[in-house]
Amino acid sequence: MARIGIAGAGVLGRLLAWRLAREGHAVQVVDPAPGPDAPPTGSLLPGQPHAAGFTAAGMLSPLAELDCGDVEVARLGWRSLPRWRALCAELTPPGYPQPLMRQRGSLLLAHGSDAGAAQRVLARLQAAPDQPRPEALDAAALHALEPAVAPNLTAWYLRDEGQVLPREMLQALVHQCPEAQWHWGRRVQRVLPGELLLDDSQALRCDLAIDTRGLGAREQVPGGLRGVRGEIVWLHAPGVSLQRPLRLLHPRHRVYLVPRPNDLIVVGASEIESEDRSPVSLRSAVELMAAAHSVLPALAEARVVHQESNLRPATPDHAPVLQHQPGLLRLNGLFRHGWLIAPALVDDALAACGLAPLVETAHA
Ligand SMILES: Cc1cc2nc3c(=O)[nH]c(=O)nc-3n(C[C@H](O)[C@H](O)[C@H](O)COP(=O)(O)OP(=O)(O)OC[C@H]3O[C@@H](n4cnc5c(N)ncnc54)[C@H](O)[C@@H]3O)c2cc1C
């Protein structure tokens, strides 16, 4: 049994804690957030940063993300999908309205006027080695899958893609892991081999110190880290049926609509080179919602119930950081793929540290 200290309880920190505690290690996790749950909607203020994972749409889109990610990200994503399925089976609370992870595929959509932009994205997806191909859908097939989508859109089906419910999954990973010790409201200044240096200069000593502080680790990530602003809008749309994530291929934006329980649809996301965490701008809100309405006309009467912005932790080349030396592991730079790739990255990291994965890696 090893003593493990984890700095940061985002997607990575919680997944690592859950895995390592279940394998019998003594795990302590430190995070400045007041507790494990998502900040209440509507109460986000600038200066109160919280894990990017809470804001995320939770799409598990290895193929669609090839538009802006490397093929290695897609491979990590495909390896992660069965991991999420297994976690979902263990963590979805009984009676919950929707499983914490679903795999019904996703749709790429384009308006006729944007055919050029759509072809550029499709060519990129089709050129990736060893990847499944998007399947073109005719109007009847599109209607059968998603009857609320505007009929004049061109559509492609990405069969095996999925989604998680990020807030619920983050909460479940803590609530169903009482074996770990969770220290909320504490900040880690530095993560060094075998110790976490806390904000009051106390040190938490351990056999393996793990740094998963996202942007909070900026000074200690080799090669540098920056925040990339993302904004999302939640719509309450009773009666508007949506079964799977939709992405609109658009010349200027990467707009998606993601169904959530209780008639909610998340519309996202801007991608802005700025570390501004202030509330969503009028321009982003207008552009995201206009695009969403063009895809699902029935959203006209939806209510805007929540808006949120956050920063994605990104390296200069957008590749994730996995750095290991005796007594120390750093994982960071998950950019716009944190939910997509975290389980496979955690497998690789634990293998690098000599802490074997729970089960053998399975490919989707
Ligand atoms: C708008 C938006 C949409 C997104 N959509 C998707 C999506 O659909 N699919 C997908 O795969 N990814 C998506 N992402 C990306 C994903 O959310 C991130 O890649 C992921 O959250 C990164 O995980 P992390 O654990 O590294 O960091 P975070 O989730 O940011 O967690 C870092 C943790 O470290 C803590 N911390 C910070 N400083 C300290 C400190 N000094 N001491 C201790 N703890 C500290 C923070 O409080 C936080 O809990 C999206 C992101 C955004 C912003």
Tab-separated table of all heavy atoms in Angstrom, residues 86-128:
chain	number	residue	atom	x	y	z
A	86	ALA	N	-17.840	1.358	-17.740
A	86	ALA	CA	-17.697	0.574	-16.506
A	86	ALA	C	-17.946	1.468	-15.284
A	86	ALA	O	-18.640	1.075	-14.335
A	86	ALA	CB	-16.306	-0.047	-16.448
A	87	LEU	N	-17.405	2.680	-15.318
A	87	LEU	CA	-17.609	3.601	-14.189
A	87	LEU	C	-19.075	3.956	-14.033
A	87	LEU	O	-19.609	4.048	-12.925
A	87	LEU	CB	-16.818	4.887	-14.419
A	87	LEU	CG	-15.411	4.904	-13.857
A	87	LEU	CD1	-14.642	6.073	-14.439
A	87	LEU	CD2	-15.454	5.020	-12.337
A	88	CYS	N	-19.727	4.153	-15.178
A	88	CYS	CA	-21.145	4.509	-15.170
A	88	CYS	C	-21.956	3.405	-14.497
A	88	CYS	O	-22.848	3.675	-13.686
A	88	CYS	CB	-21.578	4.734	-16.605
A	88	CYS	SG	-23.327	4.850	-16.800
A	89	ALA	N	-21.622	2.150	-14.831
A	89	ALA	CA	-22.362	1.031	-14.234
A	89	ALA	C	-22.177	1.022	-12.714
A	89	ALA	O	-23.105	0.703	-11.966
A	89	ALA	CB	-21.877	-0.277	-14.841
A	90	GLU	N	-21.008	1.424	-12.252
A	90	GLU	CA	-20.765	1.414	-10.803
A	90	GLU	C	-21.313	2.645	-10.102
A	90	GLU	O	-21.701	2.582	-8.942
A	90	GLU	CB	-19.264	1.358	-10.531
A	90	GLU	CG	-18.650	0.024	-10.843
A	90	GLU	CD	-17.364	-0.200	-10.068
A	90	GLU	OE1	-17.354	0.042	-8.854
A	90	GLU	OE2	-16.382	-0.603	-10.708
A	91	LEU	N	-21.312	3.787	-10.789
A	91	LEU	CA	-21.537	5.053	-10.075
A	91	LEU	C	-22.925	5.667	-10.263
A	91	LEU	O	-23.297	6.566	-9.510
A	91	LEU	CB	-20.492	6.094	-10.513
A	91	LEU	CG	-19.045	5.792	-10.134
A	91	LEU	CD1	-18.115	6.873	-10.673
A	91	LEU	CD2	-18.882	5.701	-8.625
A	92	THR	N	-23.690	5.239	-11.273
A	92	THR	CA	-25.006	5.876	-11.463
A	92	THR	C	-25.902	5.543	-10.267
A	92	THR	O	-26.130	4.374	-9.970
A	92	THR	CB	-25.671	5.390	-12.760
A	92	THR	OG1	-24.812	5.699	-13.863
A	92	THR	CG2	-27.018	6.082	-12.982
A	93	PRO	N	-26.397	6.572	-9.556
A	93	PRO	CA	-27.229	6.284	-8.388
A	93	PRO	C	-28.524	5.598	-8.809
A	93	PRO	O	-29.064	5.892	-9.873
A	93	PRO	CB	-27.531	7.676	-7.810
A	93	PRO	CG	-26.603	8.617	-8.497
A	93	PRO	CD	-26.212	8.000	-9.797
A	94	PRO	N	-29.046	4.669	-7.977
A	94	PRO	CA	-30.300	3.997	-8.332
A	94	PRO	C	-31.409	5.032	-8.519
A	94	PRO	O	-31.501	5.991	-7.758
A	94	PRO	CB	-30.593	3.105	-7.112
A	94	PRO	CG	-29.387	3.164	-6.237
A	94	PRO	CD	-28.517	4.298	-6.669
A	95	GLY	N	-32.214	4.850	-9.549
A	95	GLY	CA	-33.358	5.749	-9.774
A	95	GLY	C	-32.999	7.060	-10.442
A	95	GLY	O	-33.863	7.914	-10.658
A	96	TYR	N	-31.726	7.271	-10.793
A	96	TYR	CA	-31.347	8.527	-11.439
A	96	TYR	C	-31.967	8.587	-12.838
A	96	TYR	O	-32.040	7.564	-13.516
A	96	TYR	CB	-29.815	8.648	-11.500
A	96	TYR	CG	-29.393	10.071	-11.728
A	96	TYR	CD1	-29.512	11.012	-10.706
A	96	TYR	CD2	-28.955	10.498	-12.967
A	96	TYR	CE1	-29.186	12.332	-10.929
A	96	TYR	CE2	-28.627	11.823	-13.190
A	96	TYR	CZ	-28.744	12.731	-12.166
A	96	TYR	OH	-28.441	14.042	-12.384
A	97	PRO	N	-32.461	9.792	-13.302
A	97	PRO	CA	-33.222	9.834	-14.553
A	97	PRO	C	-32.440	9.431	-15.797
A	97	PRO	O	-33.022	9.124	-16.823
A	97	PRO	CB	-33.665	11.302	-14.659
A	97	PRO	CG	-32.830	12.051	-13.696
A	97	PRO	CD	-32.419	11.087	-12.625
A	98	GLN	N	-31.146	9.423	-15.735
A	98	GLN	CA	-30.343	9.097	-16.926
A	98	GLN	C	-29.035	8.480	-16.437
A	98	GLN	O	-28.501	8.916	-15.418
A	98	GLN	CB	-30.052	10.406	-17.679
A	98	GLN	CG	-29.365	10.235	-19.007
A	98	GLN	CD	-29.263	11.571	-19.744
A	98	GLN	OE1	-30.216	12.322	-19.852
A	98	GLN	NE2	-28.101	11.881	-20.243
A	99	PRO	N	-28.475	7.480	-17.138
A	99	PRO	CA	-27.160	6.988	-16.727
A	99	PRO	C	-26.117	8.106	-16.796
A	99	PRO	O	-26.268	9.030	-17.607
A	99	PRO	CB	-26.839	5.888	-17.742
A	99	PRO	CG	-27.933	5.856	-18.721
A	99	PRO	CD	-28.992	6.821	-18.338
A	100	LEU	N	-25.075	8.011	-15.989
A	100	LEU	CA	-24.061	9.077	-15.985
A	100	LEU	C	-23.253	9.105	-17.277
A	100	LEU	O	-22.571	10.074	-17.559
A	100	LEU	CB	-23.108	8.904	-14.792
A	100	LEU	CG	-23.749	8.986	-13.404
A	100	LEU	CD1	-22.684	8.941	-12.323
A	100	LEU	CD2	-24.592	10.249	-13.265
A	101	MET	N	-23.330	8.016	-18.052
A	101	MET	CA	-22.668	8.003	-19.356
A	101	MET	C	-23.609	7.335	-20.350
A	101	MET	O	-24.284	6.366	-20.002
A	101	MET	CB	-21.372	7.205	-19.246
A	101	MET	CG	-20.528	7.166	-20.498
A	101	MET	SD	-20.836	5.709	-21.487
A	101	MET	CE	-19.535	5.825	-22.707
A	102	ARG	N	-23.662	7.885	-21.575
A	102	ARG	CA	-24.507	7.303	-22.613
A	102	ARG	C	-23.702	7.219	-23.902
A	102	ARG	O	-22.858	8.083	-24.159
A	102	ARG	CB	-25.714	8.223	-22.851
A	102	ARG	CG	-26.987	7.579	-22.472
A	102	ARG	CD	-28.225	8.377	-22.563
A	102	ARG	NE	-28.315	9.578	-23.352
A	102	ARG	CZ	-29.415	10.308	-23.390
A	102	ARG	NH1	-30.483	9.961	-22.695
A	102	ARG	NH2	-29.477	11.403	-24.120
A	103	GLN	N	-23.995	6.230	-24.720
A	103	GLN	CA	-23.234	6.062	-25.964
A	103	GLN	C	-24.210	5.805	-27.102
A	103	GLN	O	-24.412	4.665	-27.515
A	103	GLN	CB	-22.243	4.909	-25.797
A	103	GLN	CG	-21.102	4.957	-26.762
A	103	GLN	CD	-20.033	3.925	-26.472
A	103	GLN	OE1	-20.130	3.172	-25.502
A	103	GLN	NE2	-19.022	3.870	-27.310
A	104	ARG	N	-24.821	6.868	-27.584
A	104	ARG	CA	-25.794	6.756	-28.669
A	104	ARG	C	-25.277	7.376	-29.957
A	104	ARG	O	-26.058	7.725	-30.840
A	104	ARG	CB	-27.079	7.474	-28.277
A	104	ARG	CG	-27.779	6.834	-27.098
A	104	ARG	CD	-29.051	7.570	-26.789
A	104	ARG	NE	-29.817	6.876	-25.782
A	104	ARG	CZ	-30.907	7.360	-25.228
A	104	ARG	NH1	-31.366	8.549	-25.594
A	104	ARG	NH2	-31.559	6.681	-24.314
A	105	GLY	N	-23.955	7.606	-30.042
A	105	GLY	CA	-23.410	8.286	-31.199
A	105	GLY	C	-23.654	9.786	-31.117
A	105	GLY	O	-24.272	10.276	-30.162
A	106	SER	N	-23.129	10.504	-32.111
A	106	SER	CA	-23.403	11.944	-32.192
A	106	SER	C	-23.605	12.282	-33.666
A	106	SER	O	-23.352	11.447	-34.538
A	106	SER	CB	-22.247	12.750	-31.603
A	106	SER	OG	-21.141	12.714	-32.482
A	107	LEU	N	-24.099	13.478	-33.916
A	107	LEU	CA	-24.336	13.901	-35.302
A	107	LEU	C	-23.515	15.138	-35.633
A	107	LEU	O	-23.407	16.057	-34.808
A	107	LEU	CB	-25.814	14.249	-35.508
A	107	LEU	CG	-26.830	13.108	-35.404
A	107	LEU	CD1	-28.235	13.642	-35.667
A	107	LEU	CD2	-26.508	12.000	-36.402
A	108	LEU	N	-22.933	15.124	-36.829
A	108	LEU	CA	-22.342	16.342	-37.396
A	108	LEU	C	-23.365	16.907	-38.366
A	108	LEU	O	-23.915	16.152	-39.176
A	108	LEU	CB	-21.082	16.013	-38.187
A	108	LEU	CG	-19.835	15.581	-37.440
A	108	LEU	CD1	-18.735	15.272	-38.453
A	108	LEU	CD2	-19.374	16.669	-36.506
A	109	LEU	N	-23.594	18.201	-38.297
A	109	LEU	CA	-24.628	18.816	-39.135
A	109	LEU	C	-24.060	20.039	-39.844
A	109	LEU	O	-23.162	20.712	-39.309
A	109	LEU	CB	-25.803	19.266	-38.254
A	109	LEU	CG	-26.472	18.152	-37.433
A	109	LEU	CD1	-27.350	18.756	-36.355
A	109	LEU	CD2	-27.278	17.232	-38.337
A	110	ALA	N	-24.579	20.320	-41.034
A	110	ALA	CA	-24.140	21.530	-41.749
A	110	ALA	C	-25.302	22.101	-42.544
A	110	ALA	O	-26.086	21.353	-43.124
A	110	ALA	CB	-22.989	21.203	-42.682
A	111	HIS	N	-25.391	23.442	-42.543
A	111	HIS	CA	-26.322	24.113	-43.446
A	111	HIS	C	-25.721	24.086	-44.845
A	111	HIS	O	-24.484	24.103	-44.999
A	111	HIS	CB	-26.519	25.568	-43.008
A	111	HIS	CG	-27.282	25.685	-41.722
A	111	HIS	ND1	-28.627	25.435	-41.636
A	111	HIS	CD2	-26.880	26.003	-40.477
A	111	HIS	CE1	-29.031	25.605	-40.384
A	111	HIS	NE2	-27.994	25.943	-39.652
A	112	GLY	N	-26.585	24.092	-45.870
A	112	GLY	CA	-26.115	24.044	-47.248
A	112	GLY	C	-25.111	25.147	-47.550
A	112	GLY	O	-24.100	24.926	-48.230
A	113	SER	N	-25.329	26.326	-46.990
A	113	SER	CA	-24.443	27.457	-47.272
A	113	SER	C	-23.047	27.256	-46.680
A	113	SER	O	-22.108	27.955	-47.047
A	113	SER	CB	-25.055	28.739	-46.710
A	113	SER	OG	-25.372	28.522	-45.342
A	114	ASP	N	-22.918	26.324	-45.744
A	114	ASP	CA	-21.621	26.100	-45.108
A	114	ASP	C	-20.965	24.808	-45.605
A	114	ASP	O	-20.105	24.237	-44.917
A	114	ASP	CB	-21.786	26.029	-43.577
A	114	ASP	CG	-22.303	27.333	-43.014
A	114	ASP	OD1	-22.015	28.387	-43.611
A	114	ASP	OD2	-23.008	27.300	-41.992
A	115	ALA	N	-21.353	24.368	-46.775
A	115	ALA	CA	-20.855	23.083	-47.276
A	115	ALA	C	-19.326	23.079	-47.367
A	115	ALA	O	-18.683	22.063	-47.084
A	115	ALA	CB	-21.467	22.793	-48.641
A	116	GLY	N	-18.732	24.208	-47.709
A	116	GLY	CA	-17.276	24.266	-47.850
A	116	GLY	C	-16.592	23.974	-46.517
A	116	GLY	O	-15.662	23.154	-46.443
A	117	ALA	N	-17.073	24.639	-45.466
A	117	ALA	CA	-16.478	24.425	-44.139
A	117	ALA	C	-16.675	22.984	-43.712
A	117	ALA	O	-15.780	22.351	-43.140
A	117	ALA	CB	-17.123	25.382	-43.130
A	118	ALA	N	-17.850	22.435	-44.010
A	118	ALA	CA	-18.141	21.057	-43.605
A	118	ALA	C	-17.209	20.087	-44.323
A	118	ALA	O	-16.679	19.154	-43.710
A	118	ALA	CB	-19.595	20.728	-43.927
A	119	GLN	N	-16.975	20.322	-45.602
A	119	GLN	CA	-16.109	19.397	-46.353
A	119	GLN	C	-14.680	19.433	-45.820
A	119	GLN	O	-13.995	18.410	-45.769
A	119	GLN	CB	-16.130	19.745	-47.858
A	119	GLN	CG	-17.414	19.325	-48.556
A	119	GLN	CD	-17.799	17.855	-48.305
A	119	GLN	OE1	-16.947	16.994	-48.147
A	119	GLN	NE2	-19.100	17.584	-48.235
A	120	ARG	N	-14.231	20.611	-45.398
A	120	ARG	CA	-12.878	20.716	-44.841
A	120	ARG	C	-12.760	19.848	-43.584
A	120	ARG	O	-11.821	19.088	-43.402
A	120	ARG	CB	-12.574	22.190	-44.498
A	120	ARG	CG	-11.186	22.411	-43.960
A	120	ARG	CD	-11.029	23.793	-43.325
A	120	ARG	NE	-11.886	24.005	-42.160
A	120	ARG	CZ	-11.658	23.506	-40.954
A	120	ARG	NH1	-10.596	22.748	-40.739
A	120	ARG	NH2	-12.485	23.736	-39.957
A	121	VAL	N	-13.778	19.934	-42.703
A	121	VAL	CA	-13.746	19.152	-41.463
A	121	VAL	C	-13.831	17.656	-41.781
A	121	VAL	O	-13.072	16.846	-41.249
A	121	VAL	CB	-14.895	19.576	-40.523
A	121	VAL	CG1	-14.961	18.656	-39.310
A	121	VAL	CG2	-14.720	21.027	-40.092
A	122	LEU	N	-14.739	17.295	-42.689
A	122	LEU	CA	-14.891	15.870	-43.015
A	122	LEU	C	-13.612	15.291	-43.622
A	122	LEU	O	-13.206	14.175	-43.301
A	122	LEU	CB	-16.039	15.684	-44.010
A	122	LEU	CG	-17.410	15.705	-43.357
A	122	LEU	CD1	-18.476	15.749	-44.423
A	122	LEU	CD2	-17.610	14.490	-42.454
A	123	ALA	N	-12.950	16.085	-44.474
A	123	ALA	CA	-11.711	15.604	-45.081
A	123	ALA	C	-10.680	15.322	-43.991
A	123	ALA	O	-9.947	14.335	-44.044
A	123	ALA	CB	-11.191	16.641	-46.069
A	124	ARG	N	-10.642	16.192	-42.995
A	124	ARG	CA	-9.680	16.006	-41.889
A	124	ARG	C	-9.999	14.723	-41.123
A	124	ARG	O	-9.120	13.939	-40.795
A	124	ARG	CB	-9.756	17.236	-40.984
A	124	ARG	CG	-8.638	17.339	-40.000
A	124	ARG	CD	-8.594	18.736	-39.390
A	124	ARG	NE	-7.976	18.712	-38.079
A	124	ARG	CZ	-6.681	18.575	-37.875
A	124	ARG	NH1	-5.861	18.478	-38.893
A	124	ARG	NH2	-6.199	18.546	-36.652
A	125	LEU	N	-11.278	14.500	-40.850
A	125	LEU	CA	-11.676	13.288	-40.118
A	125	LEU	C	-11.369	12.040	-40.935
A	125	LEU	O	-10.891	11.027	-40.404
A	125	LEU	CB	-13.174	13.322	-39.804
A	125	LEU	CG	-13.617	13.954	-38.478
A	125	LEU	CD1	-12.989	15.301	-38.216
A	125	LEU	CD2	-15.134	14.046	-38.402
A	126	GLN	N	-11.632	12.123	-42.249
A	126	GLN	CA	-11.456	10.933	-43.091
A	126	GLN	C	-9.990	10.615	-43.345
A	126	GLN	O	-9.643	9.471	-43.637
A	126	GLN	CB	-12.206	11.126	-44.411
A	126	GLN	CG	-13.693	10.914	-44.194
A	126	GLN	CD	-14.564	11.495	-45.285
A	126	GLN	OE1	-14.082	12.271	-46.104
A	126	GLN	NE2	-15.833	11.154	-45.281
A	127	ALA	N	-9.130	11.623	-43.189
A	127	ALA	CA	-7.705	11.385	-43.446
A	127	ALA	C	-7.009	10.748	-42.245
A	127	ALA	O	-5.883	10.263	-42.368
A	127	ALA	CB	-7.031	12.717	-43.776
A	128	ALA	N	-7.650	10.736	-41.090
A	128	ALA	CA	-6.982	10.221	-39.878
A	128	ALA	C	-6.823	8.708	-39.985
A	128	ALA	O	-7.771	8.010	-40.342
A	128	ALA	CB	-7.802	10.584	-38.651
